[in-house]
Amino acid sequence: MNARLSLALAKKLLVLVQEKQISKSAFGNSRRLETLIEEGIVYLQVNGQKTRIFLESQYRLEVYLNSLGINDLEAYIHTLENPHRSRADLMRVSNSSKSASSRVQSGLYMASYEPVDIMINSESIRIDTPAMCTFFVHENAELKIPEDVTVVGVENFENLSFIKKQKGLFDDGEKKLFIYRNRAAREFLGRCFNDYIHYGDFDLAGVHIFLHEIVPRLPHERYRFFLPENIETFLDYGNAQDYFVQMKRYPNLRSKIGYIQEFIELLHSKKRSLHQEYFVHLE
């Protein structure tokens, strides 16, 4: 059985997911790039003689990969890199079937900067992850999170795996469980009634994702877009180029939610875009 996506291209897409951008020359494969642009997954930014590809919607990329039968990009790459892989191994990570056997690595990645007790298949589990670690729960497991625990959806995997370094941003006395926002997480959030905080990039694209990809999928209104108390100061360290690129894509972005509309106006005032990875490397 042939791979549905080459190893080289799969690795480039993983770079795009992790770093949110990649140079057009490094990406290559113009035919696939055209498809990604048409699907609203990526957009191009030209700076002099150089062109970079930026990830616009991780959700749409995951939908696109699922259409190719790829439910977990990292597991898919790991399998292709194994010289002793079997036909069954390849089918397991590259199969359009929606059966449980084709989603061996699909599930929830979570972390916490303090002990949080949850229930997995009626068994009590304590989540307290060290730096550079996350806790994985298969999507077929029965997961229950206590009502007094706030779920925080995290856009960037690096932020999740270094969540202890960001404790100062969230340590307000509430118990919090941080979950990487992939397909499995979105499906879980549609069934859970815990309070929800969205921790994404602090820019127009981040607000757009929250309003159009998160809010419509939640079954309640107990959600909010996370903004640090001193976000106005943090934005001074943001990127102006990203702001102007996003301004072209979301020129009419508005929200009926008061504090979000105020944040949109602040972004226009500062003319900056701040990625959440900033808080991982903040000393």
Side-chain angles (χ1 to χ4, degrees), residues 123-196:
E123 181 180 351
S124 180
I125 301 292
R126 176 157 291 182
I127 306 296
D128 187 13
T129 48
M132 297 184 286
C133 293
T134 62
F135 187 87
F136 176 77
V137 180
H138 193 278
E139 66 177 353
N140 291 336
E142 181 183 0
L143 171 64
K144 293 184 179 179
I145 302 175
E147 293 182 358
D148 64 339
V149 174
T150 298
V151 174
V152 182
V154 183
E155 286 287 337
N156 184 272
F157 199 85
E158 182 182 13
N159 286 80
L160 181 73
S161 58
F162 284 95
I163 200 59
K164 285 185 182 292
K165 295 183 66 173
Q166 301 153 81
K167 179 179 180 179
L169 293 174
F170 296 94
D171 194 12
D172 56 5
E174 293 182 359
K175 290 184 180 179
K176 295 183 177 66
L177 184 64
F178 297 80
I179 298 180
Y180 178 56
R181 199 186 67 82
N182 59 7
R183 178 195 54 77
R186 284 190 297 276
E187 292 181 0
F188 173 75
L189 289 173
R191 305 189 301 269
C192 116
F193 285 84
N194 295 70
D195 287 352
Y196 175 81

Coordinates of all heavy atoms in Angstrom, one line a residue, residues 123-196:
E123 N -11.8 5.2 36.5 CA -10.6 5.1 37.4 C -10.1 6.5 37.6 O -9.9 7.3 36.7 CB -9.6 4.2 36.8 CG -8.3 4.1 37.6 CD -7.2 3.2 37.0 OE1 -7.6 2.6 36.0 OE2 -6.1 3.1 37.5
S124 N -9.8 6.8 38.9 CA -9.3 8.1 39.2 C -7.8 8.3 38.8 O -7.0 7.4 39.2 CB -9.4 8.4 40.7 OG -8.9 9.7 41.1
I125 N -7.5 9.3 38.1 CA -6.1 9.6 37.6 C -5.8 11.0 38.0 O -6.5 11.9 37.8 CB -6.0 9.4 36.1 CG1 -6.5 8.0 35.6 CG2 -4.6 9.7 35.6 CD1 -5.5 6.9 36.1
R126 N -4.5 11.2 38.4 CA -4.0 12.5 38.8 C -3.1 13.0 37.7 O -2.1 12.4 37.4 CB -3.3 12.5 40.1 CG -2.7 13.8 40.5 CD -2.5 13.9 42.0 NE -3.7 14.0 42.7 CZ -3.9 14.2 44.0 NH1 -2.8 14.2 44.8 NH2 -5.0 14.2 44.6
I127 N -3.4 14.2 37.2 CA -2.6 14.8 36.1 C -1.7 15.9 36.8 O -2.2 16.8 37.4 CB -3.5 15.5 35.0 CG1 -4.5 14.5 34.5 CG2 -2.6 16.0 33.9 CD1 -3.9 13.3 33.8
D128 N -0.4 15.7 36.6 CA 0.5 16.7 37.1 C 1.8 16.5 36.3 O 2.7 15.8 36.7 CB 0.8 16.5 38.6 CG 1.7 17.6 39.2 OD1 1.8 18.6 38.6 OD2 2.2 17.4 40.3
T129 N 1.8 17.1 35.1 CA 2.9 16.8 34.1 C 4.2 17.7 34.3 O 4.1 18.9 34.5 CB 2.3 17.1 32.7 OG1 1.7 18.4 32.7 CG2 1.3 16.1 32.3
P130 N 5.3 17.0 34.3 CA 6.6 17.7 34.3 C 6.8 18.5 33.0 O 6.0 18.3 32.0 CB 7.6 16.6 34.4 CG 6.9 15.4 34.8 CD 5.5 15.5 34.2
A131 N 7.8 19.4 33.0 CA 8.1 20.1 31.8 C 8.4 19.2 30.6 O 9.0 18.1 30.9 CB 9.3 21.1 32.0
M132 N 8.0 19.5 29.4 CA 8.3 18.8 28.2 C 7.5 17.5 28.2 O 7.9 16.5 27.4 CB 9.8 18.5 28.0 CG 10.6 19.8 27.8 SD 12.3 19.5 27.4 CE 12.9 19.0 29.0
C133 N 6.5 17.4 29.0 CA 5.6 16.1 29.0 C 4.2 16.5 28.9 O 3.7 17.6 29.3 CB 5.9 15.4 30.3 SG 7.5 14.7 30.5
T134 N 3.4 15.6 28.3 CA 1.9 15.7 28.3 C 1.4 14.4 28.6 O 2.1 13.3 28.6 CB 1.4 16.2 26.9 OG1 1.8 15.2 25.9 CG2 2.0 17.5 26.5
F135 N 0.1 14.3 28.9 CA -0.6 13.1 29.3 C -1.6 12.8 28.1 O -2.4 13.7 27.8 CB -1.4 13.3 30.6 CG -2.0 12.0 31.1 CD1 -1.3 11.1 31.9 CD2 -3.3 11.7 30.8 CE1 -1.8 10.0 32.4 CE2 -3.9 10.5 31.3 CZ -3.1 9.6 32.1
F136 N -1.5 11.6 27.6 CA -2.4 11.2 26.5 C -3.5 10.3 26.9 O -3.3 9.4 27.7 CB -1.5 10.5 25.4 CG -2.3 10.0 24.2 CD1 -2.7 10.8 23.2 CD2 -2.6 8.6 24.1 CE1 -3.4 10.4 22.2 CE2 -3.4 8.2 23.1 CZ -3.8 9.0 22.1
V137 N -4.7 10.6 26.4 CA -5.9 9.8 26.6 C -6.5 9.5 25.3 O -6.9 10.4 24.5 CB -7.0 10.6 27.5 CG1 -8.2 9.7 27.7 CG2 -6.4 11.0 28.8
H138 N -6.6 8.2 25.0 CA -7.2 7.8 23.7 C -8.6 8.3 23.6 O -9.4 8.3 24.6 CB -7.2 6.2 23.6 CG -7.4 5.7 22.2 ND1 -8.7 5.6 21.7 CD2 -6.6 5.3 21.2 CE1 -8.6 5.1 20.5 NE2 -7.4 5.0 20.2
E139 N -9.0 8.6 22.4 CA -10.4 9.2 22.1 C -11.5 8.2 22.5 O -12.6 8.7 22.7 CB -10.5 9.7 20.7 CG -10.5 8.6 19.7 CD -10.7 9.1 18.3 OE1 -11.0 10.3 18.1 OE2 -10.5 8.3 17.3
N140 N -11.2 6.9 22.5 CA -12.3 6.0 22.9 C -12.4 5.8 24.4 O -13.4 5.1 24.8 CB -12.0 4.6 22.2 CG -12.2 4.7 20.7 OD1 -12.9 5.5 20.2 ND2 -11.5 3.8 20.0
A141 N -11.6 6.4 25.2 CA -11.7 6.3 26.6 C -12.8 7.1 27.1 O -13.1 8.2 26.5 CB -10.4 6.7 27.3
E142 N -13.4 6.7 28.2 CA -14.5 7.5 28.9 C -13.8 8.5 29.8 O -13.2 8.1 30.8 CB -15.4 6.6 29.6 CG -16.6 7.3 30.3 CD -17.5 6.4 31.1 OE1 -17.2 5.2 31.2 OE2 -18.4 7.0 31.7
L143 N -13.8 9.8 29.5 CA -13.2 10.8 30.3 C -14.2 11.7 31.0 O -15.1 12.2 30.3 CB -12.3 11.6 29.3 CG -11.7 12.9 29.9 CD1 -10.7 12.5 31.0 CD2 -11.0 13.7 28.9
K144 N -14.0 11.9 32.3 CA -14.9 12.8 33.0 C -14.0 13.7 33.8 O -13.1 13.3 34.5 CB -15.8 12.0 34.0 CG -16.8 11.1 33.3 CD -17.7 10.5 34.3 CE -18.8 9.6 33.6 NZ -19.7 9.0 34.6
I145 N -14.2 15.0 33.6 CA -13.5 16.1 34.3 C -14.4 16.7 35.3 O -15.6 17.1 35.0 CB -13.0 17.1 33.3 CG1 -12.1 16.5 32.3 CG2 -12.2 18.2 34.0 CD1 -11.7 17.4 31.2
P146 N -14.0 16.8 36.6 CA -14.9 17.4 37.6 C -15.4 18.8 37.2 O -14.7 19.5 36.5 CB -14.0 17.5 38.9 CG -13.0 16.4 38.6 CD -12.7 16.4 37.2
E147 N -16.6 19.1 37.7 CA -17.2 20.4 37.3 C -16.5 21.6 37.7 O -16.6 22.7 37.1 CB -18.7 20.4 37.8 CG -19.6 19.4 37.2 CD -21.0 19.5 37.7 OE1 -21.2 20.4 38.6 OE2 -21.9 18.8 37.2
D148 N -15.7 21.4 38.8 CA -15.0 22.6 39.3 C -13.6 22.8 38.6 O -12.9 23.7 39.0 CB -14.7 22.5 40.8 CG -13.8 21.3 41.2 OD1 -13.7 20.4 40.4 OD2 -13.2 21.3 42.3
V149 N -13.3 22.0 37.6 CA -12.1 22.2 36.8 C -12.4 22.9 35.5 O -13.3 22.5 34.8 CB -11.5 20.8 36.5 CG1 -10.2 21.0 35.6 CG2 -11.0 20.1 37.8
T150 N -11.7 24.0 35.3 CA -11.8 24.8 34.0 C -10.9 24.1 33.0 O -9.7 23.9 33.2 CB -11.4 26.2 34.2 OG1 -12.3 26.8 35.2 CG2 -11.5 27.0 32.9
V151 N -11.5 23.9 31.8 CA -10.7 23.3 30.7 C -10.1 24.5 29.9 O -10.9 25.4 29.5 CB -11.6 22.5 29.8 CG1 -10.8 22.0 28.5 CG2 -12.1 21.2 30.5
V152 N -8.9 24.4 29.6 CA -8.2 25.5 28.8 C -7.7 24.9 27.5 O -6.9 23.9 27.5 CB -7.0 26.1 29.6 CG1 -6.3 27.2 28.7 CG2 -7.4 26.6 30.9
G153 N -8.3 25.3 26.4 CA -7.8 24.8 25.1 C -6.6 25.6 24.6 O -6.6 26.8 24.6
V154 N -5.5 24.8 24.3 CA -4.2 25.4 23.9 C -4.0 25.2 22.5 O -4.0 24.1 22.0 CB -3.1 24.8 24.8 CG1 -1.8 25.5 24.5 CG2 -3.4 24.9 26.3
E155 N -3.7 26.3 21.7 CA -3.5 26.1 20.3 C -2.1 25.5 19.9 O -2.0 24.8 18.9 CB -3.6 27.5 19.6 CG -5.0 28.0 19.5 CD -5.8 27.3 18.5 OE1 -5.2 26.8 17.6 OE2 -7.1 27.3 18.6
N156 N -1.1 25.9 20.7 CA 0.3 25.5 20.3 C 0.8 24.4 21.2 O 0.7 24.5 22.5 CB 1.2 26.7 20.4 CG 2.6 26.3 19.9 OD1 3.4 25.9 20.7 ND2 2.9 26.5 18.7
F157 N 1.3 23.3 20.7 CA 1.7 22.1 21.5 C 2.9 22.5 22.4 O 3.0 21.9 23.5 CB 2.1 21.0 20.6 CG 2.1 19.6 21.3 CD1 0.9 18.9 21.4 CD2 3.2 19.1 21.8 CE1 0.9 17.7 22.1 CE2 3.2 17.9 22.5 CZ 2.1 17.2 22.6
E158 N 3.8 23.4 22.0 CA 4.9 23.8 22.8 C 4.4 24.4 24.1 O 4.9 24.2 25.2 CB 5.8 24.7 22.0 CG 7.1 25.1 22.9 CD 7.9 26.1 22.1 OE1 7.5 26.7 21.1 OE2 9.1 26.3 22.6
N159 N 3.4 25.3 24.0 CA 2.8 25.9 25.2 C 2.2 24.8 26.1 O 2.3 25.0 27.3 CB 1.7 26.9 24.8 CG 2.3 28.2 24.2 OD1 2.6 28.2 23.0 ND2 2.4 29.2 24.9
L160 N 1.6 23.8 25.6 CA 1.0 22.8 26.4 C 2.1 22.0 27.2 O 2.0 21.8 28.4 CB 0.2 21.8 25.5 CG -0.4 20.6 26.3 CD1 -1.6 21.2 27.1 CD2 -0.9 19.5 25.4
S161 N 3.2 21.6 26.5 CA 4.2 20.8 27.1 C 5.1 21.6 28.1 O 5.9 21.0 28.8 CB 5.1 20.2 26.0 OG 5.7 21.1 25.2
F162 N 5.0 23.0 28.0 CA 5.8 23.8 29.0 C 4.8 24.6 29.8 O 5.1 25.8 30.1 CB 6.7 24.7 28.2 CG 8.0 24.0 27.7 CD1 8.0 23.6 26.4 CD2 9.1 23.8 28.6 CE1 9.2 22.9 25.9 CE2 10.2 23.2 28.1 CZ 10.2 22.8 26.8
I163 N 3.6 24.0 30.1 CA 2.6 24.8 30.8 C 3.0 25.3 32.2 O 2.6 26.3 32.7 CB 1.3 24.0 30.9 CG1 0.1 24.9 31.1 CG2 1.4 22.9 32.0 CD1 -0.1 26.0 30.0
K164 N 3.9 24.6 32.9 CA 4.4 25.0 34.2 C 5.1 26.4 34.1 O 5.0 27.2 35.1 CB 5.3 24.0 34.8 CG 4.5 22.7 35.3 CD 5.5 21.8 36.0 CE 4.8 20.5 36.5 NZ 3.8 20.8 37.6
K165 N 5.7 26.7 33.0 CA 6.4 27.9 32.8 C 5.4 29.1 32.7 O 5.8 30.3 32.9 CB 7.3 27.9 31.6 CG 8.5 26.9 31.7 CD 9.4 27.0 30.5 CE 10.1 28.3 30.4 NZ 11.1 28.4 29.3
Q166 N 4.2 28.8 32.4 CA 3.2 29.8 32.2 C 2.2 29.9 33.4 O 1.1 30.5 33.3 CB 2.4 29.5 30.9 CG 3.4 29.5 29.7 CD 2.8 28.6 28.6 OE1 2.0 29.1 27.8 NE2 3.3 27.4 28.5
K167 N 2.5 29.2 34.5 CA 1.6 29.2 35.6 C 1.2 30.6 36.1 O 0.0 30.8 36.5 CB 2.3 28.4 36.8 CG 1.4 28.4 38.0 CD 2.1 27.6 39.1 CE 1.3 27.5 40.4 NZ 1.9 26.7 41.5
G168 N 2.1 31.5 36.1 CA 1.8 32.9 36.5 C 0.7 33.6 35.8 O 0.0 34.5 36.3
L169 N 0.5 33.1 34.5 CA -0.6 33.7 33.7 C -2.0 33.3 34.2 O -3.0 34.0 34.0 CB -0.4 33.3 32.2 CG 0.8 33.9 31.5 CD1 0.9 33.3 30.1 CD2 0.7 35.4 31.4
F170 N -2.0 32.1 34.7 CA -3.3 31.4 35.0 C -3.6 31.2 36.5 O -4.7 30.8 36.8 CB -3.4 30.1 34.3 CG -3.4 30.2 32.8 CD1 -2.2 30.1 32.1 CD2 -4.6 30.5 32.0 CE1 -2.2 30.2 30.7 CE2 -4.5 30.6 30.7 CZ -3.3 30.5 30.0
D171 N -2.6 31.3 37.3 CA -2.8 30.9 38.7 C -3.6 31.9 39.5 O -3.2 32.8 40.2 CB -1.4 30.8 39.4 CG -1.4 30.1 40.7 OD1 -2.4 29.4 41.0 OD2 -0.4 30.1 41.4
D172 N -5.0 31.7 39.4 CA -5.9 32.6 40.1 C -6.8 31.8 41.1 O -7.8 32.3 41.5 CB -6.8 33.2 39.0 CG -7.6 32.2 38.1 OD1 -7.4 31.0 38.4 OD2 -8.2 32.6 37.2
G173 N -6.3 30.6 41.4 CA -7.1 29.8 42.4 C -8.0 28.8 41.8 O -8.5 27.9 42.5
E174 N -8.3 28.9 40.5 CA -9.2 28.0 39.9 C -8.4 26.8 39.4 O -7.2 26.9 39.0 CB -9.9 28.6 38.6 CG -10.9 29.7 38.9 CD -11.5 30.2 37.6 OE1 -11.1 29.6 36.5 OE2 -12.3 31.0 37.7
K175 N -8.9 25.6 39.6 CA -8.3 24.4 39.0 C -8.4 24.4 37.5 O -9.5 24.6 37.0 CB -8.9 23.1 39.6 CG -8.7 22.9 41.0 CD -9.3 21.5 41.5 CE -9.0 21.3 43.0 NZ -9.6 20.0 43.4
K176 N -7.3 24.1 36.8 CA -7.4 24.1 35.4 C -6.7 22.9 34.8 O -5.6 22.5 35.2 CB -6.7 25.4 34.8 CG -7.4 26.7 35.2 CD -6.7 27.9 34.6 CE -7.4 29.2 34.9 NZ -7.4 29.5 36.4
L177 N -7.3 22.4 33.7 CA -6.7 21.3 32.9 C -6.5 21.8 31.5 O -7.4 22.3 30.9 CB -7.6 20.1 32.9 CG -7.1 18.8 32.2 CD1 -5.8 18.3 33.0 CD2 -8.2 17.8 32.2
F178 N -5.3 21.8 31.0 CA -4.9 22.3 29.7 C -4.9 21.2 28.7 O -4.3 20.1 28.9 CB -3.5 23.0 29.8 CG -3.5 24.1 30.7 CD1 -3.4 24.0 32.1 CD2 -3.6 25.4 30.2 CE1 -3.3 25.0 32.9 CE2 -3.6 26.5 31.0 CZ -3.4 26.3 32.4
I179 N -5.6 21.4 27.6 CA -5.8 20.4 26.5 C -5.4 21.0 25.2 O -5.9 22.1 24.8 CB -7.3 19.9 26.5 CG1 -7.6 19.2 27.8 CG2 -7.5 18.9 25.4 CD1 -9.1 18.7 27.9
Y180 N -4.6 20.2 24.5 CA -4.2 20.6 23.1 C -5.4 20.6 22.2 O -6.1 19.6 22.1 CB -3.1 19.7 22.6 CG -2.6 20.0 21.2 CD1 -2.2 21.3 20.8 CD2 -2.7 19.0 20.2 CE1 -1.8 21.5 19.5 CE2 -2.2 19.3 18.9 CZ -1.8 20.5 18.6 OH -1.3 20.8 17.3
R181 N -5.7 21.7 21.5 CA -6.9 21.8 20.7 C -6.8 21.1 19.3 O -6.6 21.7 18.3 CB -7.4 23.2 20.5 CG -8.8 23.4 20.2 CD -9.2 24.8 19.9 NE -8.5 25.3 18.7 CZ -8.9 25.1 17.4 NH1 -10.0 24.4 17.2 NH2 -8.3 25.6 16.4
N182 N -6.9 19.8 19.3 CA -6.9 19.0 18.0 C -8.4 18.5 17.8 O -9.3 19.0 18.5 CB -6.0 17.8 18.1 CG -6.3 16.9 19.2 OD1 -7.3 17.0 19.9 ND2 -5.4 15.9 19.5
R183 N -8.6 17.7 16.8 CA -9.9 17.2 16.5 C -10.6 16.5 17.6 O -11.7 16.8 17.9 CB -9.8 16.3 15.3 CG -11.2 15.7 14.9 CD -11.0 14.5 13.9 NE -10.1 13.5 14.5 CZ -10.5 12.6 15.5 NH1 -11.8 12.7 15.9 NH2 -9.7 11.7 16.0
A184 N -9.8 15.6 18.3 CA -10.4 14.9 19.4 C -10.9 15.8 20.5 O -11.9 15.6 21.2 CB -9.4 13.9 20.0
A185 N -10.1 16.9 20.8 CA -10.4 17.9 21.8 C -11.7 18.6 21.4 O -12.6 18.9 22.3 CB -9.3 18.8 22.0
R186 N -11.8 19.0 20.2 CA -13.0 19.7 19.7 C -14.3 18.8 19.9 O -15.3 19.3 20.3 CB -12.9 20.1 18.3 CG -12.0 21.3 18.1 CD -12.1 21.8 16.7 NE -11.6 20.9 15.7 CZ -10.3 20.7 15.4 NH1 -9.4 21.5 15.9 NH2 -10.0 19.8 14.5
E187 N -14.1 17.5 19.6 CA -15.3 16.6 19.8 C -15.6 16.5 21.3 O -16.8 16.4 21.6 CB -15.0 15.3 19.1 CG -14.9 15.3 17.6 CD -14.6 14.0 17.0 OE1 -14.5 13.0 17.8 OE2 -14.5 13.9 15.8
F188 N -14.6 16.4 22.1 CA -14.8 16.3 23.5 C -15.5 17.5 24.1 O -16.4 17.4 24.9 CB -13.5 16.0 24.3 CG -13.6 16.0 25.8 CD1 -14.2 15.0 26.4 CD2 -13.2 17.1 26.5 CE1 -14.3 15.0 27.8 CE2 -13.3 17.2 27.9 CZ -13.9 16.1 28.5
L189 N -15.0 18.7 23.7 CA -15.6 20.0 24.2 C -17.1 20.1 23.8 O -17.8 20.7 24.5 CB -14.8 21.1 23.6 CG -13.4 21.3 24.2 CD1 -12.7 22.4 23.4 CD2 -13.5 21.7 25.7
G190 N -17.4 19.5 22.7 CA -18.9 19.5 22.3 C -19.7 18.7 23.2 O -21.0 18.9 23.2
R191 N -19.1 17.9 24.1 CA -19.9 17.0 25.0 C -19.7 17.4 26.4 O -20.4 16.9 27.3 CB -19.5 15.5 24.8 CG -19.5 15.0 23.4 CD -19.3 13.5 23.5 NE -18.0 13.1 24.0 CZ -16.9 13.0 23.3 NH1 -16.9 13.2 22.0 NH2 -15.8 12.6 23.9
C192 N -18.8 18.3 26.7 CA -18.5 18.6 28.1 C -19.0 20.0 28.5 O -19.2 20.9 27.6 CB -17.0 18.6 28.3 SG -16.1 20.1 28.7
F193 N -19.4 20.1 29.7 CA -20.0 21.4 30.2 C -19.2 22.1 31.2 O -19.7 23.0 32.0 CB -21.4 21.1 30.8 CG -22.4 20.8 29.7 CD1 -22.5 19.5 29.2 CD2 -23.3 21.8 29.2 CE1 -23.5 19.2 28.2 CE2 -24.2 21.5 28.3 CZ -24.3 20.2 27.8
N194 N -17.9 21.8 31.3 CA -17.0 22.6 32.1 C -16.8 24.0 31.6 O -17.0 24.2 30.4 CB -15.6 21.9 32.2 CG -15.6 20.5 32.8 OD1 -16.2 19.6 32.3 ND2 -15.1 20.4 34.0
D195 N -16.4 24.9 32.5 CA -16.1 26.2 32.0 C -14.9 26.1 31.1 O -14.0 25.2 31.3 CB -15.7 27.1 33.2 CG -16.9 27.6 34.0 OD1 -18.1 27.3 33.5 OD2 -16.8 28.2 35.0
Y196 N -14.8 26.9 30.0 CA -13.8 26.8 29.0 C -13.1 28.1 28.8 O -13.7 29.2 28.7 CB -14.4 26.3 27.7 CG -13.4 26.2 26.6 CD1 -12.5 25.2 26.4 CD2 -13.3 27.3 25.6 CE1 -11.6 25.1 25.4 CE2 -12.4 27.3 24.6 CZ -11.5 26.2 24.5 OH -10.6 26.2 23.5

